Amino acid sequence: MRPNNDRRSGVEDPEDEPRLERFRDSHPSRIGVGRAGSRPRTETLLEFRLDHAKARDAVTTHVSDDLVADLDLVSVRSRAESKTEFLAEPSRGRDISEETAERIREDCAMEPQVQIVVSDGLSSTAVETNVPELLPVLRDGLADRGLDVGTPIFVEYGRVDVMDAIGAELGADCCVNLVGERPGLATNESLSAYFVADPERGGATSEKSVISNIHRNGIPPVEAGAEIAAVLEELCEAERNGCDTGDP
Amino acid sequence: MGSKETGYTATIDGIEHEFDSIRSVLAKANERKSGDELAGLAASSSAERIAAKDIVSRLTLETLYENPVVPADEDEVTRTIRDGVCEETYAEIADWTVADLREFLLAESTDDEAIRALREGLTSEMIAAVTKLMSNLDLVVAAAKMTVVARCNSTIGTEGTVSFRLQPNDPADETENILQSVREGLSYGVGDAVIGINPVSDDAAQVKEILQATAEFIDRWDVPTQNCVLGHITTQMDAVRNGAPADLLFQSIAGTERGNREFGIDVELLDDAAELGRNLCRGDGPNVMYFETGQGAELSNDAHEGVDQLTLEARCYGLAREYDPFLVNTVVGFIGPEYLYDGKQVIRAGLEDVFMGKLHGLPMGIDACYTNHTKADQNDIENLAVLLTAAGANFFITVPMGDDVMLNYQSNSYHDGPTLRSLFGLQAAPEFEAWLEEMGITDDGRLTERAGDPTIFTQP
């Protein structure tokens, strides 16, 4: 006998079909999915596998060189030499080599008020889907506020704290790092913006402020660009005032 | 008496491998794990790994007893483990080598009772050491011999059963969503170990609200199980003091005093919690505590004290056994690829942890899981679940379709509960098995047409 694959919910003859559908449509988890024997139905299984496949691809693929060029980013690499090394040794993704430091000191503007960093982090997909829309809004927002913005940098195999090393080398007042978040099954496109004022190597991730959940179904990238510019203005302001008080 | 440590050497194919301490020999004897490499403790070659195993095989249990990996005067976990050892039992086996222990555990003549008689003489370091000599199948065979029964409202771990935690987490702590996921899970026959929720907000009022909602549901449908909301132990204690109906109290634990401090706990706090649990939790008991562990937790909190992650994991179990818990499980693949790189390492660690927990006498289960930056997929943890059902694990964590949308990781699916039971001819916890039959979810242990329909729980 051929199984009935046209069911509205995954469950055959539920006691309360409308209720089941209501929950199935509104519930954040995969429920009301039914079964094939004791195993998941084919459709449910393939949906799950597709979501995981997209998450894996976000982790393992690379941000395209074309995109980095189109966005006019100076491209560098963290101390990690490969994805494998990046995943197995997180500390390598938080720093840059002396050679890279020399290069950015040559190629990038020194002592900017704001340094923009973009890092692939755990999702290249997040960078590719959000940054092209976000970055122009952010740049305009910073320009409107009269802030001096440095040369934006892309870090391959970069983690959040890599902006400490970059900011310190360039003598930036503050930094923002747009970094791909660890993908979930619900989205592989989520980006975070981390902030640090007066960057120094070795600063803790937990002490950095953050706007997370930037993606088309979360905070849309255009909106995020405007919010990030506002946060950076406040940070620069606070940094300036902090300096005025003459603290050592 | 007592052999204080000096250098240790093994010669393989004419090449001498030298190790400067027992701690180092133990670390290098591990199967390859990214976390030990990250900590700079791992063997530098495959041959060195085997040389270290060779030395471990010849260490006596006395040497391990005399040389805990963290000194007793510096660490209360070491002291707790040592105080838990029965001196008379230990004296009988002090001159055994670790190889002797391995072959004892594997001998046909060694049954559950024989292991029980020996258990109190073992420190966590001895158990860690023998684990390093075991192959994956060795671990399954030895773990399968051990039966550890624990009782709260249901009885788990009896021979011929396997239980499941129903984990209905919700990204917004919405109680109606949580209950809907509970209905879904129960309709697959999972939930006999615990209905356990990880709250988003670690707040006593929130914890109480979820405990109340699940307790009411359990009472309404007369489900022979227990509830638990896995906030910080102090949050749960506050909630229970404020009248929240909790059956179990939960806490994550570490294998060093410093690691526990990072979790915001110490032995004194756990003692207080256990007493509060016995007095104020509504579970029948006598077992009312629930602990989670997982290789790499200490390193991630910079509290590993130069000790490898397997040995530290064993020490978690040494601490846990002081509290006669109802549930202990390792959360094996949650921590990320810098500790367990891929499916192979996750599977190995899962087998090690369940074996070590059972050898400590714990009602041991597992959250067989992975995050999306680990090189693993659902097939790996389905494999692990089959292996560990064969090994007689007390319980597994299950989530809807394997996808936990709150913690953002994947574990076994509700579907895997009835699958593993039917594959191995096992039943649910006896009280729960009877309830499943009464509810018409199973008939003679097999899923009925009602199974998988969460709306069977929505009629008045």
Side-chain angles (χ1 to χ4, degrees):
Chain A
M1 200 182 70
R2 187 170 157 188
N4 171 15
N5 271 317
D6 304 326
R7 283 169 273 177
R8 173 68 183 84
S9 72
V11 182
E12 199 145 15
D13 294 330
E15 282 198 13
D16 188 341
E17 177 101 47
R19 193 180 168 103
L20 184 64
E21 281 180 22
R22 218 164 42 242
F23 269 112
R24 192 176 145 94
D25 293 344
S26 68
H27 203 283
S29 296
R30 295 165 204 255
I31 63 159
V33 294
R35 56 194 181 85
S38 65
R39 305 307 299 152
R41 295 184 52 229
T42 310
E43 186 189 354
T44 328
L45 178 65
L46 291 179
E47 269 172 25
F48 170 87
R49 288 304 303 266
L50 175 61
D51 291 339
H52 182 246
K54 288 196 287 193
R56 283 302 294 161
D57 286 346
V59 173
T60 56
T61 55
H62 293 79
V63 173
S64 82
D65 294 341
D66 289 349
L67 183 84
V68 173
D70 287 351
L71 294 173
D72 221 2
L73 304 172
V74 169
S75 183
V76 300
R77 190 178 269 186
S78 71
R79 276 185 183 275
E81 294 294 325
S82 66
K83 279 279 177 189
T84 303
E85 207 171 79
F86 169 74
L87 291 169
E89 295 181 60
S91 63
R92 287 183 177 268
R94 299 187 184 114
D95 205 355
I96 53 172
S97 68
E98 188 41 49
E99 283 160 25
T100 305
E102 250 171 60
R103 222 197 94 202
I104 62 169
R105 283 196 304 260
E106 274 168 28
D107 294 355
C108 301
M110 292 296 290
E111 301 190 353
Q113 282 182 289
V114 174
Q115 177 62 47
I116 298 172
V117 179
V118 178
S119 303
D120 49 4
L122 292 169
S123 174
S124 296
T125 310
V127 170
E128 297 209 323
T129 54
N130 295 295
V131 175
E133 281 183 60
L134 187 156
L135 200 56
V137 179
L138 172 58
R139 280 171 149 161
D140 290 349
L142 294 172
D144 289 348
R145 289 171 168 83
L147 293 169
D148 165 37
V149 182
T151 318
I153 294 175
F154 170 71
V155 188
E156 189 181 30
Y157 310 139
R159 289 190 188 257
V160 172
D161 298 337
V162 77
M163 69 172 158
D164 296 346
I166 289 172
E169 291 296 341
L170 297 177
D173 286 353
C174 53
C175 292
V176 58
N177 190 357
L178 306 171
V179 55
E181 285 178 20
R182 191 182 93 195
L185 293 201
T187 179
N188 60 352
E189 295 180 359
S190 193
L191 186 84
S192 286
Y194 281 85
F195 302 92
V196 68
D198 197 11
E200 270 182 63
R201 274 194 172 85
T205 312
S206 56
E207 282 165 18
K208 295 182 169 80
S209 53
V210 60
I211 296 175
S212 53
N213 206 32
I214 301 168
H215 57 96
R216 57 184 145 175
N217 298 319
I219 304 174
V222 170
E223 209 173 289
E227 269 187 50
I228 293 165
V231 171
L232 285 167
E233 182 182 32
E234 274 176 40
L235 271 186
C236 285
E237 194 78 6
E239 190 62 16
R240 214 175 297 144
N241 295 338
C243 291
D244 287 349
T245 63
D247 283 344
Chain B
M1 99 160 222
S3 40
K4 276 291 164 196
E5 64 177 2
T6 50
Y8 299 89
T9 55
T11 306
I12 292 181
D13 288 349
I15 297 169
E16 199 170 84
H17 296 270
E18 201 176 334
F19 305 89
D20 59 9
S21 65
I22 287 191
R23 201 160 58 177
S24 167
V25 173
L26 287 174
K28 290 177 190 236
N30 278 345
E31 294 299 304
R32 189 174 177 194
K33 307 252 178 70
S34 50
D36 291 334
E37 290 171 345
L38 183 66
L41 300 170
S44 56
S45 68
S46 300
E48 189 187 28
R49 173 169 297 119
I50 306 307
K53 285 182 195 284
D54 179 52
I55 292 172
V56 168
S57 76
R58 288 181 277 112
L59 292 175
T60 63
L61 301 189
E62 182 181 9
T63 304
L64 290 163
Y65 182 88
E66 294 294 334
N67 296 283
V69 288
V70 189
D73 55 0
E74 291 170 20
D75 189 284
E76 65 177 6
V77 175
T78 303
R79 294 195 291 278
T80 304
I81 293 167
R82 182 169 294 194
D83 293 349
V85 170
C86 168
E87 293 294 332
E88 283 163 28
T89 313
Y90 164 65
E92 285 171 29
I93 56 174
D95 64 345
W96 286 22
T97 63
V98 180
D100 291 337
L101 179 58
R102 173 178 175 274
E103 295 190 13
F104 165 82
L105 291 168
L106 297 173
E108 285 97 347
S109 54
T110 300
D111 58 9
D112 186 33
E113 208 175 318
I115 297 173
R116 227 173 258 273
L118 184 104
R119 184 172 279 151
E120 289 185 333
L122 299 174
T123 64
S124 300
E125 276 86 348
M126 298 174 199
I127 290 172
V130 75
T131 305
K132 292 160 198 269
L133 299 185
M134 309 277 267
S135 76
N136 286 8
L137 193 51
D138 293 351
L139 293 169
V140 172
V141 166
K145 293 183 181 194
M146 297 181 261
T147 303
V148 183
V149 176
R151 195 177 148 70
C152 186
N153 298 323
S154 62
T155 311
I156 67 161
T158 56
E159 216 160 314
T161 68
V162 62
S163 298
F164 297 90
R165 167 177 162 189
L166 197 166
Q167 183 171 297
N169 293 341
D170 184 78
D173 284 343
E174 289 283 346
T175 50
E176 194 40 50
N177 281 346
I178 289 170
L179 291 182
Q180 187 59 12
S181 189
V182 169
R183 294 182 187 105
E184 174 97 355
L186 289 174
S187 78
Y188 283 87
V190 301
D192 49 341
V194 62
I195 294 173
I197 298 102
N198 301 87
V200 177
S201 155
D202 187 35
D203 164 80
Q206 185 64 51
V207 167
K208 185 177 176 182
E209 189 184 323
I210 302 173
L211 284 167
Q212 268 169 337
T214 46
E216 273 166 29
F217 185 94
I218 287 170
D219 291 348
R220 159 72 183 82
W221 294 96
D222 229 355
V223 192
T225 188
Q226 30 285 314
N227 70 349
C228 186
V229 176
L230 291 76
H232 191 267
I233 187 81
T234 52
T235 313
Q236 295 166 77
M237 289 164 80
D238 284 347
V240 167
R241 284 193 200 100
N242 291 333
D247 291 314
L248 300 171
L249 292 178
F250 165 85
Q251 180 56 42
S252 291
I253 56 171
T256 63
E257 182 176 330
R258 210 141 58 95
N260 283 321
R261 212 182 303 142
E262 290 296 320
F263 283 144
I265 59 163
D266 57 21
V267 166
E268 193 186 346
L269 177 62
L270 291 177
D271 290 345
D272 290 348
E275 196 187 333
L276 184 90
R278 280 189 296 271
N279 294 331
L280 292 183
C281 277
R282 67 175 210 150
D284 295 343
N287 310 111
V288 296
M289 297 299 284
Y290 176 10
F291 296 116
E292 279 187 344
T293 64
Q295 294 191 26
E298 296 83 2
L299 177 59
S300 77
N301 282 319
D302 203 16
H304 66 293
E305 312 282 12
V307 180
D308 69 90
Q309 60 189 34
L310 182 153
T311 304
L312 292 172
E313 180 73 8
R315 289 164 54 90
C316 293
Y317 305 139
L319 175 61
R321 73 173 168 186
E322 283 308 297
Y323 299 97
D324 298 324
F326 179 68
L327 305 169
V328 181
N329 66 263
T330 172
V331 189
V332 69
F334 188 70
I335 193 161
E338 61 268 44
Y339 305 95
L340 295 170
Y341 187 71
D342 56 13
K344 182 183 167 94
Q345 294 188 10
V346 168
I347 287 172
R348 174 68 195 183
L351 293 172
E352 290 169 346
D353 294 355
V354 169
F355 164 76
M356 294 197 295
K358 289 185 85 177
L359 189 49
H360 276 88
L362 294 172
M364 193 67 198
I366 185 164
D367 188 349
C369 61
Y370 60 102
T371 56
N372 292 327
H373 61 322
T374 298
K375 196 176 169 187
D377 63 22
Q378 201 69 14
N379 291 328
D380 291 304
I381 62 164
E382 288 183 358
N383 288 352
L384 179 54
V386 170
L387 289 169
L388 281 176
T389 307
N394 277 28
F395 69 100
F396 295 83
I397 272 58
T398 52
V399 300
M401 260 315 285
D403 178 12
D404 188 308
V405 296
M406 194 287 266
L407 293 173
N408 249 319
Y409 78 125
Q410 289 83 247
S411 183
N412 285 116
S413 173
Y414 291 159
H415 295 79
D416 299 348
T419 304
L420 291 166
R421 282 189 189 129
S422 110
L423 197 56
F424 286 87
L426 301 172
Q427 295 192 331
E431 305 84 351
F432 196 87
E433 181 77 17
W435 177 82
L436 288 174
E437 297 278 318
E438 206 177 295
M439 286 297 298
I441 294 168
T442 59
D443 181 23
D444 241 354
R446 297 170 64 93
L447 294 181
T448 66
E449 283 183 3
R450 281 163 66 83
D453 175 9
T455 65
I456 61 171
F457 294 103
T458 49
Q459 302 303 324

PDB file of all heavy atoms in Angstrom, chain B residues 239-257:
ATOM      1  N   ALA B 239      13.749  29.238  43.496  1.00  0.00           N
ATOM      2  CA  ALA B 239      12.410  28.933  42.990  1.00  0.00           C
ATOM      3  C   ALA B 239      11.716  27.918  43.891  1.00  0.00           C
ATOM      4  O   ALA B 239      10.535  28.080  44.239  1.00  0.00           O
ATOM      5  CB  ALA B 239      12.496  28.415  41.552  1.00  0.00           C
ATOM      6  N   VAL B 240      12.447  26.891  44.290  1.00  0.00           N
ATOM      7  CA  VAL B 240      11.851  25.835  45.125  1.00  0.00           C
ATOM      8  C   VAL B 240      11.494  26.379  46.508  1.00  0.00           C
ATOM      9  O   VAL B 240      10.438  26.068  47.063  1.00  0.00           O
ATOM     10  CB  VAL B 240      12.809  24.625  45.214  1.00  0.00           C
ATOM     11  CG1 VAL B 240      12.386  23.664  46.306  1.00  0.00           C
ATOM     12  CG2 VAL B 240      12.870  23.904  43.865  1.00  0.00           C
ATOM     13  N   ARG B 241      12.367  27.235  47.046  1.00  0.00           N
ATOM     14  CA  ARG B 241      12.045  27.858  48.341  1.00  0.00           C
ATOM     15  C   ARG B 241      10.788  28.714  48.236  1.00  0.00           C
ATOM     16  O   ARG B 241      10.053  28.880  49.205  1.00  0.00           O
ATOM     17  CB  ARG B 241      13.220  28.728  48.824  1.00  0.00           C
ATOM     18  CG  ARG B 241      14.384  27.925  49.376  1.00  0.00           C
ATOM     19  CD  ARG B 241      15.356  28.844  50.123  1.00  0.00           C
ATOM     20  NE  ARG B 241      16.658  28.217  50.249  1.00  0.00           N
ATOM     21  CZ  ARG B 241      17.700  28.498  49.449  1.00  0.00           C
ATOM     22  NH1 ARG B 241      17.582  29.404  48.485  1.00  0.00           N
ATOM     23  NH2 ARG B 241      18.844  27.872  49.614  1.00  0.00           N
ATOM     24  N   ASN B 242      10.546  29.244  47.028  1.00  0.00           N
ATOM     25  CA  ASN B 242       9.330  30.031  46.796  1.00  0.00           C
ATOM     26  C   ASN B 242       8.144  29.165  46.385  1.00  0.00           C
ATOM     27  O   ASN B 242       7.176  29.662  45.823  1.00  0.00           O
ATOM     28  CB  ASN B 242       9.564  31.079  45.696  1.00  0.00           C
ATOM     29  CG  ASN B 242      10.506  32.166  46.150  1.00  0.00           C
ATOM     30  OD1 ASN B 242      10.593  32.451  47.346  1.00  0.00           O
ATOM     31  ND2 ASN B 242      11.230  32.756  45.212  1.00  0.00           N
ATOM     32  N   GLY B 243       8.270  27.857  46.602  1.00  0.00           N
ATOM     33  CA  GLY B 243       7.135  26.977  46.372  1.00  0.00           C
ATOM     34  C   GLY B 243       7.040  26.381  44.979  1.00  0.00           C
ATOM     35  O   GLY B 243       6.027  25.787  44.620  1.00  0.00           O
ATOM     36  N   ALA B 244       8.089  26.529  44.134  1.00  0.00           N
ATOM     37  CA  ALA B 244       8.035  25.942  42.798  1.00  0.00           C
ATOM     38  C   ALA B 244       8.067  24.418  42.889  1.00  0.00           C
ATOM     39  O   ALA B 244       8.860  23.859  43.648  1.00  0.00           O
ATOM     40  CB  ALA B 244       9.204  26.437  41.961  1.00  0.00           C
ATOM     41  N   PRO B 245       7.190  23.735  42.111  1.00  0.00           N
ATOM     42  CA  PRO B 245       7.131  22.268  42.161  1.00  0.00           C
ATOM     43  C   PRO B 245       8.187  21.615  41.271  1.00  0.00           C
ATOM     44  O   PRO B 245       7.937  21.339  40.109  1.00  0.00           O
ATOM     45  CB  PRO B 245       5.718  21.967  41.656  1.00  0.00           C
ATOM     46  CG  PRO B 245       5.410  23.124  40.728  1.00  0.00           C
ATOM     47  CD  PRO B 245       6.171  24.313  41.224  1.00  0.00           C
ATOM     48  N   ALA B 246       9.393  21.376  41.813  1.00  0.00           N
ATOM     49  CA  ALA B 246      10.469  20.715  41.059  1.00  0.00           C
ATOM     50  C   ALA B 246      10.650  19.306  41.590  1.00  0.00           C
ATOM     51  O   ALA B 246      10.618  19.086  42.800  1.00  0.00           O
ATOM     52  CB  ALA B 246      11.768  21.494  41.216  1.00  0.00           C
ATOM     53  N   ASP B 247      10.833  18.367  40.662  1.00  0.00           N
ATOM     54  CA  ASP B 247      11.136  16.997  41.089  1.00  0.00           C
ATOM     55  C   ASP B 247      12.634  16.792  41.263  1.00  0.00           C
ATOM     56  O   ASP B 247      13.077  16.029  42.115  1.00  0.00           O
ATOM     57  CB  ASP B 247      10.602  15.996  40.056  1.00  0.00           C
ATOM     58  CG  ASP B 247       9.085  15.960  40.028  1.00  0.00           C
ATOM     59  OD1 ASP B 247       8.486  15.904  41.128  1.00  0.00           O
ATOM     60  OD2 ASP B 247       8.506  16.002  38.935  1.00  0.00           O
ATOM     61  N   LEU B 248      13.431  17.460  40.420  1.00  0.00           N
ATOM     62  CA  LEU B 248      14.887  17.281  40.436  1.00  0.00           C
ATOM     63  C   LEU B 248      15.557  18.645  40.484  1.00  0.00           C
ATOM     64  O   LEU B 248      15.009  19.635  39.995  1.00  0.00           O
ATOM     65  CB  LEU B 248      15.355  16.565  39.164  1.00  0.00           C
ATOM     66  CG  LEU B 248      14.804  15.169  38.872  1.00  0.00           C
ATOM     67  CD1 LEU B 248      15.216  14.729  37.467  1.00  0.00           C
ATOM     68  CD2 LEU B 248      15.322  14.160  39.892  1.00  0.00           C
ATOM     69  N   LEU B 249      16.777  18.677  41.035  1.00  0.00           N
ATOM     70  CA  LEU B 249      17.613  19.879  40.970  1.00  0.00           C
ATOM     71  C   LEU B 249      18.814  19.584  40.091  1.00  0.00           C
ATOM     72  O   LEU B 249      19.455  18.544  40.229  1.00  0.00           O
ATOM     73  CB  LEU B 249      18.081  20.288  42.370  1.00  0.00           C
ATOM     74  CG  LEU B 249      17.003  20.788  43.327  1.00  0.00           C
ATOM     75  CD1 LEU B 249      17.634  21.108  44.684  1.00  0.00           C
ATOM     76  CD2 LEU B 249      16.285  22.007  42.767  1.00  0.00           C
ATOM     77  N   PHE B 250      19.119  20.529  39.219  1.00  0.00           N
ATOM     78  CA  PHE B 250      20.150  20.316  38.201  1.00  0.00           C
ATOM     79  C   PHE B 250      21.344  21.234  38.414  1.00  0.00           C
ATOM     80  O   PHE B 250      21.195  22.365  38.855  1.00  0.00           O
ATOM     81  CB  PHE B 250      19.564  20.617  36.821  1.00  0.00           C
ATOM     82  CG  PHE B 250      20.631  20.781  35.767  1.00  0.00           C
ATOM     83  CD1 PHE B 250      21.148  19.673  35.127  1.00  0.00           C
ATOM     84  CD2 PHE B 250      21.134  22.035  35.461  1.00  0.00           C
ATOM     85  CE1 PHE B 250      22.153  19.828  34.179  1.00  0.00           C
ATOM     86  CE2 PHE B 250      22.143  22.192  34.509  1.00  0.00           C
ATOM     87  CZ  PHE B 250      22.650  21.087  33.866  1.00  0.00           C
ATOM     88  N   GLN B 251      22.543  20.752  38.013  1.00  0.00           N
ATOM     89  CA  GLN B 251      23.695  21.639  37.884  1.00  0.00           C
ATOM     90  C   GLN B 251      24.741  21.018  36.952  1.00  0.00           C
ATOM     91  O   GLN B 251      24.928  19.809  36.927  1.00  0.00           O
ATOM     92  CB  GLN B 251      24.331  21.908  39.261  1.00  0.00           C
ATOM     93  CG  GLN B 251      25.551  22.828  39.229  1.00  0.00           C
ATOM     94  CD  GLN B 251      25.277  24.187  38.584  1.00  0.00           C
ATOM     95  OE1 GLN B 251      24.233  24.799  38.828  1.00  0.00           O
ATOM     96  NE2 GLN B 251      26.181  24.646  37.732  1.00  0.00           N
ATOM     97  N   SER B 252      25.420  21.884  36.175  1.00  0.00           N
ATOM     98  CA  SER B 252      26.608  21.461  35.419  1.00  0.00           C
ATOM     99  C   SER B 252      27.786  21.438  36.377  1.00  0.00           C
ATOM    100  O   SER B 252      27.932  22.343  37.197  1.00  0.00           O
ATOM    101  CB  SER B 252      26.932  22.470  34.311  1.00  0.00           C
ATOM    102  OG  SER B 252      25.945  22.423  33.319  1.00  0.00           O
ATOM    103  N   ILE B 253      28.631  20.423  36.267  1.00  0.00           N
ATOM    104  CA  ILE B 253      29.778  20.325  37.172  1.00  0.00           C
ATOM    105  C   ILE B 253      31.069  20.122  36.378  1.00  0.00           C
ATOM    106  O   ILE B 253      31.046  19.714  35.219  1.00  0.00           O
ATOM    107  CB  ILE B 253      29.609  19.183  38.204  1.00  0.00           C
ATOM    108  CG1 ILE B 253      29.357  17.844  37.496  1.00  0.00           C
ATOM    109  CG2 ILE B 253      28.489  19.506  39.178  1.00  0.00           C
ATOM    110  CD1 ILE B 253      29.389  16.655  38.447  1.00  0.00           C
ATOM    111  N   ALA B 254      32.187  20.433  37.038  1.00  0.00           N
ATOM    112  CA  ALA B 254      33.511  20.318  36.421  1.00  0.00           C
ATOM    113  C   ALA B 254      34.396  19.410  37.265  1.00  0.00           C
ATOM    114  O   ALA B 254      34.071  19.095  38.408  1.00  0.00           O
ATOM    115  CB  ALA B 254      34.140  21.702  36.291  1.00  0.00           C
ATOM    116  N   GLY B 255      35.539  19.027  36.702  1.00  0.00           N
ATOM    117  CA  GLY B 255      36.435  18.073  37.354  1.00  0.00           C
ATOM    118  C   GLY B 255      37.544  18.710  38.170  1.00  0.00           C
ATOM    119  O   GLY B 255      38.444  18.026  38.648  1.00  0.00           O
ATOM    120  N   THR B 256      37.486  20.046  38.312  1.00  0.00           N
ATOM    121  CA  THR B 256      38.446  20.724  39.196  1.00  0.00           C
ATOM    122  C   THR B 256      37.689  21.752  40.039  1.00  0.00           C
ATOM    123  O   THR B 256      36.629  22.228  39.650  1.00  0.00           O
ATOM    124  CB  THR B 256      39.537  21.495  38.410  1.00  0.00           C
ATOM    125  OG1 THR B 256      38.918  22.534  37.634  1.00  0.00           O
ATOM    126  CG2 THR B 256      40.327  20.576  37.495  1.00  0.00           C
ATOM    127  N   GLU B 257      38.287  22.094  41.174  1.00  0.00           N
ATOM    128  CA  GLU B 257      37.679  23.111  42.046  1.00  0.00           C
ATOM    129  C   GLU B 257      37.541  24.436  41.296  1.00  0.00           C
ATOM    130  O   GLU B 257      36.526  25.118  41.379  1.00  0.00           O
ATOM    131  CB  GLU B 257      38.552  23.289  43.296  1.00  0.00           C
ATOM    132  CG  GLU B 257      37.987  24.272  44.282  1.00  0.00           C
ATOM    133  CD  GLU B 257      38.818  24.353  45.570  1.00  0.00           C
ATOM    134  OE1 GLU B 257      39.448  23.345  45.964  1.00  0.00           O
ATOM    135  OE2 GLU B 257      38.832  25.441  46.185  1.00  0.00           O
TER     136      GLU B 257
END
